[in-house]
């Protein structure tokens, strides 16, 4: 998407112009200066990939290279020394002080171009993700910085796969890597020549594109992902629409099949650096994580302010009166407003009147608990299902978000309730 940036440091203007013409002809962006002070100013502002230092500068070449290497320790650009000297000691001194290559001024134009190209190619390849072969976090951040230095407008997209950690645990590393490779191929196939794709984390993809393509890209990625995801699950998992990680005698949160979430925003004055952009995209994508479908959000206003208007309440269907009393007491201690029902009729009377954010259901008398769960499964609530019967699959299929086998520790139950209330 962006050209490699090359800085030439030389005190002979005609030499700088010569090198600039040669490198610009290969599609690189070239800057030049003649002293350390102005070079430092450029290095602080621009994302330089390669520095060419000529021995025409006033300082000793090796000493100057040492200073530049120290000043660029974090970004680690390629440094090429250029000199009229063929003395072996001069070459060794420059290389020992941090130069990656040493070229004589007599080098041919073609060889000069190809040597620079070879260095840049190795540089970029060293920052590729080993699984997807896309740009890693270092290059992605560098590219975001470059976009901010341009006057052009850009759109930034964060692509995150919900449930991929569970998929890795249940299906293994090979299947996980195949999924990432497939998604990277889908994303790459949609990009124009000037677009950029990279990764911030192993399973976080980052796009920079034309703002006019944002909606189209986000919509297509959601559509494409949902149409290939069935290839990565078994027939039983697809029928259940969730993944089981353990046996019936262990507590488990319902984990739906993987979904893709995309957040996007346009370059604007509110995001002044790469951290602002990434943080904004992460904030935008958070509400999508609670949805059970693949979805995208584009440049929405960030939710902020007090959240005290959200009810901090829970409704419990539990036939065991002693356990109900214990739950009520612990809820009070934790400042959680709680309601309790011991019949299906009583449950729905309270449910309609109080609109709880979290519901706890016990298996109850026969199929009562399952009936309640199925009736409220599509509502915007979190459902915790406890049972002394080992039937995790049927319970999670009914719409439960978490399955807790009885007997359970009361602290575990309260922990899940608080976790869902905090979302």
């Amino acid at each position: 998407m962006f050209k490699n940036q090359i800085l030439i440091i030389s005190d002979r203007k005609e030499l700088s112009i010569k090198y600039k013409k040669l490198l610009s002809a290969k599609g690189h962006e070239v800057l030049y200066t003649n002293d350390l002070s102005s070079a430092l100013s450029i290095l602080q502002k621009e994302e330089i990939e390669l520095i060419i230092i000529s021995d025409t500068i006033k300082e000793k070449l090796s000493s100057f290279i040492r200073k530049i290497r120290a000043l660029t320790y974090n970004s680690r650009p390629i440094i090429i020394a250029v000199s009229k000297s063929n003395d072996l000691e001069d070459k060794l001194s420059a290389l020992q002080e941090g130069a990656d290559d040493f070229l004589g001024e007599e080098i041919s134009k073609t060889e000069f171009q190809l040597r620079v190209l070879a260095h840049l190619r190795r540089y970029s390849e060293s920052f590729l993700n080993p699984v997807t072969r896309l740009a890693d976090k270092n290059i992605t951040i560098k590219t975001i910085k470059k976009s901010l230095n341009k006057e052009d407008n850009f759109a930034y997209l964060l692509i995150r796969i919900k449930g991929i950690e569970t998929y890795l645990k249940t299906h293994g590393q090979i299947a996980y890597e195949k999924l990432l490779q497939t998604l990277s191929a889908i994303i790459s196939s949609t990009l124009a020549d000037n677009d950029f794709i990279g990764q911030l984390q192993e399973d976080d993809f980052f796009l920079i594109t034309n703002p006019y393509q944002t909606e189209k890209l986000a919509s297509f990625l959601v559509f494409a992902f949902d149409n290939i995801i069935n290839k990565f699950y078994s027939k039983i998992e697809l029928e259940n629409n969730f993944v089981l990680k353990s046996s019936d005698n262990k507590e488990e949160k319902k984990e739906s099949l993987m979904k893709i979430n995309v957040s996007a925003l346009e370059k604007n004055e509110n995001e002044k650096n790469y951290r602002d952009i990434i943080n904004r995209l992460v904030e935008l994508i958070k509400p999508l994580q609670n949805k059970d479908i693949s979805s995208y959000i584009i440049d929405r206003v960030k939710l902020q302010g007090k959240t005290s208007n959200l009810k901090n309440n829970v409704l419990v269907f539990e036939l065991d009166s002693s356990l109900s009393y214990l739950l009520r007491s612990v809820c009070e201690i934790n400042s959680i407003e709680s309601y309790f029902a011991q019949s299906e009729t009583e449950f729905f009377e309270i449910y309609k009147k109080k609109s709880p954010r979290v519901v706890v259901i016990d298996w109850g008398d026969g199929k009562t608990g399952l009936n309640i769960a199925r009736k409220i499964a599509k509502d915007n609530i979190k459902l915790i299902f406890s049972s002394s019967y080992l039937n995790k699959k049927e319970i999670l299929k009914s719409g439960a978000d978490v399955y807790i086998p009885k007997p359970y520790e009361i602290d575990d139950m309260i922990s899940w309730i608080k976790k869902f209330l905090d979302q």
Side-chain angles (χ1 to χ4, degrees):
M1 179 179 190
F2 298 101
K3 297 177 181 179
N4 289 312
Q5 289 183 301
I6 298 173
L7 174 62
I8 299 171
I9 306 175
S10 171
D11 203 32
R12 205 161 79 231
K13 190 173 183 180
E14 61 271 20
L15 187 67
S16 297
I17 293 173
K18 172 188 171 182
Y19 289 156
K20 181 174 182 178
K21 286 182 178 179
L22 290 173
L23 297 172
S24 297
K26 292 296 182 181
H28 306 303
E29 182 179 334
V30 184
L31 307 170
Y32 62 85
T33 184
N34 63 356
D35 63 77
L36 182 63
S37 177
S38 57
L40 179 57
S41 178
I42 292 171
L43 290 168
Q44 289 176 334
K45 182 181 178 183
E46 305 293 340
E47 295 298 319
I48 302 296
E49 277 80 24
L50 186 144
I51 304 173
I52 297 172
I53 306 175
S54 166
D55 65 354
T56 58
I57 56 175
K58 294 181 174 62
E59 291 189 50
K60 186 179 179 182
L61 182 60
S62 57
S63 299
F64 193 89
I65 290 172
R66 182 174 65 252
K67 292 176 183 178
I68 291 293
R69 180 56 75 202
L71 292 169
T72 59
Y73 178 79
N74 291 328
S75 57
R76 189 55 176 85
I78 303 157
I79 296 179
I80 297 178
V82 178
S83 174
K84 286 183 178 180
S85 173
N86 285 319
D87 185 77
L88 180 60
E89 288 300 319
D90 290 339
K91 293 180 181 181
L92 294 177
S93 179
L95 293 172
Q96 286 174 345
E97 295 297 348
D100 297 287
D101 202 354
F102 187 100
L103 306 178
E105 280 191 20
E106 73 282 358
I107 188 172
S108 71
K109 295 178 181 179
T110 302
E111 184 181 355
F112 176 79
Q113 290 173 320
L114 292 179
R115 278 182 175 271
V116 170
L117 181 63
H119 278 292
L120 289 170
R121 183 174 61 249
R122 285 193 293 271
Y123 179 83
S124 62
E125 288 175 352
S126 68
F127 291 104
L128 294 181
N129 181 284
V131 175
T132 63
R133 305 305 293 168
L134 298 178
D136 70 1
K137 182 178 180 179
N138 295 302
I139 295 298
T140 299
I141 289 176
K142 176 176 279 193
T143 308
I144 299 172
K145 290 179 180 178
K146 285 187 177 184
S147 73
L148 293 172
N149 290 335
K150 304 292 182 184
E151 293 184 0
D152 309 68
N153 195 15
F154 298 103
Y156 307 95
L157 287 80
L158 175 64
I159 302 163
R160 181 169 286 178
I161 308 171
K162 178 185 178 183
I164 195 168
E165 297 88 356
T166 299
Y167 185 79
L168 172 59
K169 291 177 182 177
T170 56
H171 290 75
Q173 186 70 27
I174 295 176
Y176 168 79
E177 290 182 359
K178 187 66 176 176
L179 171 70
L180 293 178
Q181 290 165 355
T182 302
L183 181 56
S184 67
I186 290 173
I187 298 172
S188 298
S189 70
T190 67
L191 303 185
D193 291 340
N194 292 326
D195 292 343
F196 169 84
I197 175 176
Q199 290 175 262
L200 290 173
Q201 303 294 338
E202 183 72 23
D203 44 29
D204 272 0
F205 295 83
F206 194 94
L207 284 179
I208 305 178
T209 187
N210 186 313
Y212 298 110
Q213 299 294 321
T214 308
E215 182 93 25
K216 182 180 177 181
L217 268 175
S219 176
F220 173 78
L221 291 173
V222 167
F223 169 80
F225 186 85
D226 285 347
N227 277 273
I228 60 99
I229 198 62
N230 62 332
K231 300 181 185 299
F232 294 91
Y233 286 107
S234 67
K235 184 178 179 181
I236 294 176
E237 288 172 322
L238 291 170
E239 289 175 352
N240 291 337
N241 200 32
F242 60 82
V243 178
L244 289 179
K245 296 183 291 185
S246 58
S247 60
D248 284 344
N249 61 354
K250 290 186 178 180
E251 171 187 317
E252 185 169 336
K253 179 184 177 183
K254 182 178 179 180
E255 295 286 354
S256 300
L257 305 187
M258 288 181 289
K259 305 296 178 185
I260 192 172
N261 293 320
V262 182
S263 61
L265 70 124
E266 288 187 27
K267 179 180 174 182
N268 62 79
E269 60 183 16
N270 293 324
E271 281 72 50
K272 302 185 185 329
N273 56 57
Y274 80 90
R275 292 186 183 86
D276 290 341
I277 290 173
I278 294 172
N279 290 338
R280 174 76 168 129
L281 288 169
V282 169
E283 287 300 316
L284 282 170
I285 214 168
K286 278 183 180 179
L288 304 184
Q289 296 294 99
N290 294 324
K291 292 190 175 184
D292 293 326
I293 59 172
S294 294
S295 50
Y296 64 89
I297 183 170
I298 299 176
D299 204 19
R300 300 292 185 253
V301 177
K302 182 179 177 182
L303 297 175
Q304 54 186 344
K306 297 181 179 179
T307 58
S308 58
N309 59 318
L310 293 175
K311 294 182 178 179
N312 198 35
N313 60 355
V314 58
L315 172 56
V316 181
F317 173 74
E318 174 59 66
L319 299 184
D320 186 327
S321 56
S322 59
L323 183 55
S324 292
Y325 178 79
L326 180 58
L327 278 170
R328 188 191 300 272
S329 300
V330 177
C331 282
E332 288 179 2
I333 292 172
N334 286 274
S335 301
I336 299 171
E337 188 177 355
S338 58
Y339 310 97
F340 290 79
Q342 292 194 312
S343 71
E344 186 171 350
T345 301
E346 184 182 14
F347 175 91
F348 281 106
E349 286 177 355
I350 300 173
Y351 184 80
K352 291 176 182 178
K353 184 178 180 181
K354 299 297 183 180
S355 300
R357 293 178 59 206
V358 177
V359 170
V360 178
I361 297 177
D362 178 60
W363 182 264
D365 182 13
K367 297 286 185 177
T368 305
L370 286 176
N371 290 336
I372 292 174
R374 292 185 182 115
K375 289 178 181 179
I376 65 174
K378 293 184 179 180
D379 295 345
N380 187 28
I381 52 98
K382 289 296 182 180
L383 175 54
I384 302 171
F385 205 119
S386 66
S387 173
S388 56
Y389 300 93
L390 302 181
N391 41 25
K392 181 190 296 186
K393 181 177 176 180
E394 186 176 7
I395 287 172
L396 292 177
K397 285 182 71 173
S398 72
D401 294 287
V402 173
Y403 160 84
I404 301 180
K406 282 186 173 181
Y408 57 77
E409 294 292 334
I410 197 67
D411 288 345
D412 293 337
M413 176 62 78
I414 292 299
S415 177
W416 276 110
I417 292 172
K418 292 170 69 175
K419 185 179 297 184
F420 285 141
L421 288 174
D422 289 339
Q423 290 184 358

